[in-house]
Amino acid sequence: MDNEDTPSSGSHSSGTRSSHPSAQSDPQRPAASSSGTVAGPGTGSTTADPAAVGLSRTLSHRQMAMIAMGSALGTGLFLGSGQAIAVAGPAVIISFAIGSAIAATIALTMGEMASRYPVRGGFGTLAARFLSPFWGYLVRWLYWFVTLCVTGAELVACATYLQYWFPQVHLGWGILVFAVAVIAVNLYSVNSFGVIEFFLSSIKVIAVLAFIIVGLFFVFVGTGSHPAPGLQNWTNDGGFLPNGIGAVWLAMSIVMFSFGGIELLSVSAAEAKNPARSIRVAAQTTIVRLAFFYVMAIGIVVALVPWQSAAQADGVEQSPFVRVFDYAGIPGAASITNFVVLIAALSAANANLYASSRMMHSLSVDRLGPAFARYTTRRNVPLAAMSLTIVFIVAVAILAATGVGNIFGLLMAIVVFSVTLVWALILVTYIAYRPTRDGLETFHAPGGTVMAVLGLIGLVFVFSTVVAVESMTLAAMLGVPAVALMAIAYAAVFRRRVDAAEIDESFVEAEQARTLTD
């Protein structure tokens, strides 16, 4: 991972600007900067050297919005919501509303920073600049681990949905089948990934809208064989708060998994054609859609199906959304819904595999990760970085095959624990960034520092469930030593590899890309 390992023909973050004279002499010519990202509009075409380390800017603003939506709108809503309902009953609606508000603070503050500085490494590079290199290092490693676990959880969900039709297919084999599909999509090129992710995310967005419309009809109108229940199921079986107000707090340990993925707004900024516009549009639309989808959809689920029937405290064999249509007795609708939620999970796995490879590539280029992970293919795909995620996927499949109990629930808990730390560091970074604003950001987070502080309070509220939720306690037992090891590794090895000039180079490339597309 030292300098001599760097391929001479590829761009590297430790290189100097003088190594790219053409980029300086001709500002209109897109070039692979020292930050390792190909500036300018790029087409995702091949590079001259297979050992290149650059990424390409080919994502449109619609693709970016759908990538973030694809990561967040997945298993947390369609499958994990059953566990949240089991904890809080109908009051899970409050948990999702609080979760939406917390997620909004993350998306908007992160979006403002990324609209000004669309750097490779996303919020990790921003933390290195505005906090310290250590925090930039830590938040990137934490987020890489988050994306690993989310990818694994989404693939477990895909295999679980498959068992709705084919119960004889073992969970482990199902995981591997769907893993091959998302790996193939990610391997081709970032542009093809963006197109496919846009398509997959569009399917589930349309499906959720259809579910809401049909659900509202059954809730308030009904049919002859299924009279409209109205909102009486919200208060039946023990009332709206059957397990008390404390259950709303406990459910947050599950609910916040649903919002994991909004960070992709920042990560994907390094591959956006027009980062200033793309990030503004993506940040503003994504959080509104997610809040509406989550709160409305969960409200309909607990209105149509008694919460004790929708709850899945002992397993994840079926989505609550499938149970809604099973309960209503609509022929074939349950299978259609199961197909949609499978697509949703597949889309989220696809998006998180993308995120994990980009984050590890960023770490490697900055010499804060394995040296081999810096290499990209001729299509600018970080295959070497992606291989580490593939190894983890295989491990998840093996664990599932050996019958490890509730692997999905454990992965969810690890994600919530880790992503809470990531989000907290994003908000702290924003607080440090705020006084440095120069007016060139394309939109402003409403409330500014006050909103960021409120978001931090909300995250403390979520993180405190570690003392009461068994899976969160286990996640902390794994997570705290892991963070300590990361800190020790930084002090012993990586601290000497950090160069402030390298961080500055990432900002130089981002500024070039931003100004070229203004």
Side-chain angles (χ1 to χ4, degrees):
M1 289 183 282
D2 293 323
N3 286 338
E4 57 266 30
D5 294 328
T6 307
S8 59
S9 58
S11 60
H12 186 274
S13 64
S14 64
T16 62
R17 286 178 230 176
S18 61
S19 64
H20 304 290
S22 61
Q24 297 183 56
S25 60
D26 184 3
Q28 298 302 315
R29 178 181 176 180
S33 78
S34 58
S35 66
T37 305
V38 177
T43 61
S45 59
T46 61
T47 61
D49 188 336
V53 300
L55 303 176
S56 58
R57 290 189 177 272
T58 59
L59 294 175
S60 69
H61 67 278
R62 275 180 277 191
Q63 289 173 341
M64 282 187 63
M66 282 301 188
I67 287 171
M69 181 72 70
S71 179
L73 188 60
T75 300
L77 174 64
F78 294 114
L79 190 59
S81 56
Q83 296 184 21
I85 293 169
V87 173
V92 73
I93 298 170
I94 300 176
S95 300
F96 271 97
I98 295 173
S100 296
I102 294 173
T105 68
I106 312 297
L108 294 174
T109 54
M110 180 176 56
E112 179 183 326
M113 291 188 292
S115 74
R116 177 62 184 89
Y117 301 111
V119 291
R120 173 189 48 78
F123 49 81
T125 304
L126 293 169
R129 161 68 71 87
F130 295 107
L131 296 179
S132 76
F134 168 73
W135 294 114
Y137 154 86
L138 181 62
V139 75
R140 279 193 279 176
W141 270 103
L142 277 173
Y143 186 63
W144 178 74
F145 190 61
V146 167
T147 57
L148 283 186
C149 293
V150 173
T151 303
E154 299 292 353
L155 290 173
V156 171
C158 287
T160 300
Y161 296 143
L162 186 65
Q163 289 182 330
Y164 180 78
W165 296 306
F166 307 104
Q168 71 277 11
V169 176
H170 195 279
L171 197 66
W173 286 114
I175 292 170
L176 291 177
V177 167
F178 289 112
V180 169
V182 296
I183 291 168
V185 169
N186 273 267
L187 280 179
Y188 191 67
S189 72
V190 66
N191 190 50
S192 65
F193 160 80
V195 170
I196 292 174
E197 185 58 34
F198 182 87
F199 174 72
L200 293 176
S201 294
S202 296
I203 290 176
K204 61 184 176 183
V205 167
I206 293 170
V208 172
L209 285 173
F211 175 85
I212 290 173
I213 293 171
V214 172
L216 288 174
F217 173 82
F218 276 99
V219 170
F220 296 110
V221 180
T223 63
S225 57
H226 293 86
L231 301 179
Q232 62 183 355
N233 280 327
W234 283 16
T235 54
N236 290 342
D237 300 320
F240 186 71
L241 291 162
N243 298 323
I245 189 66
V248 173
W249 166 61
L250 295 175
M252 296 301 297
S253 65
I254 302 170
V255 165
M256 292 313 295
F257 176 87
S258 304
F259 296 95
I262 55 175
E263 315 83 14
L264 274 173
L265 291 171
S266 178
V267 175
S268 59
E271 293 179 274
K273 290 181 192 175
N274 186 341
R277 181 189 178 209
S278 297
I279 295 164
R280 182 185 70 247
V281 173
Q284 292 172 338
T285 59
T286 298
I287 197 61
V288 172
R289 290 172 182 171
L290 285 177
F292 174 76
F293 288 160
Y294 279 128
V295 176
M296 285 293 293
I298 290 298
I300 289 171
V301 167
V302 294
L304 284 178
V305 182
W307 72 269
Q308 292 177 335
S309 297
Q312 300 171 28
D314 297 322
V316 290
E317 285 71 23
Q318 290 181 347
S319 163
F321 289 76
V322 175
R323 291 191 174 195
V324 164
F325 287 112
D326 273 342
Y327 184 82
I330 303 175
S335 288
I336 295 173
T337 306
N338 197 61
F339 171 76
V340 170
V341 297
L342 190 155
I343 291 295
L346 193 63
S347 168
N350 190 40
N352 278 281
L353 179 59
Y354 164 87
S356 68
S357 62
R358 269 57 184 181
M359 192 56 69
M360 180 50 66
H361 174 267
S362 167
L363 284 163
S364 180
V365 169
D366 287 343
R367 292 178 295 144
L368 299 176
F372 74 88
R374 75 188 62 177
Y375 296 107
T376 61
T377 68
R378 289 185 179 275
R379 294 182 179 273
N380 306 115
V381 175
L383 172 60
M386 195 182 301
S387 66
L388 295 173
T389 307
I390 294 172
V391 170
F392 181 81
I393 291 171
V394 172
V396 170
I398 292 172
L399 288 174
T402 55
V404 173
N406 197 22
I407 186 173
F408 177 77
L410 178 59
L411 289 171
M412 284 182 65
I414 293 173
V415 168
V416 172
F417 176 87
S418 302
V419 84
T420 299
L421 297 179
V422 170
W423 288 342
L425 284 171
I426 289 173
L427 291 175
V428 172
T429 301
Y430 178 78
I431 293 171
Y433 148 85
R434 179 86 177 178
T436 71
R437 293 194 311 171
D438 56 10
L440 296 180
E441 59 279 350
T442 56
F443 83 99
H444 301 134
T449 301
V450 173
M451 183 180 70
V453 171
L454 291 175
L456 282 170
I457 294 172
L459 290 175
V460 171
F461 176 73
V462 174
F463 194 79
S464 64
T465 61
V466 73
V467 302
V469 179
E470 182 180 357
S471 58
M472 281 292 286
T473 304
L474 179 57
M477 291 172 64
L478 296 172
V480 171
V483 171
L485 285 174
M486 290 178 199
I488 293 171
Y490 179 83
V493 179
F494 296 116
R495 181 173 57 85
R496 294 189 294 272
R497 297 179 181 178
V498 173
D499 185 347
E502 297 177 4
I503 299 173
D504 291 339
E505 286 293 335
S506 293
F507 282 80
V508 169
E509 187 280 329
E511 183 65 16
Q512 290 174 344
R514 193 183 65 81
T515 54
L516 281 173
T517 53
D518 279 347

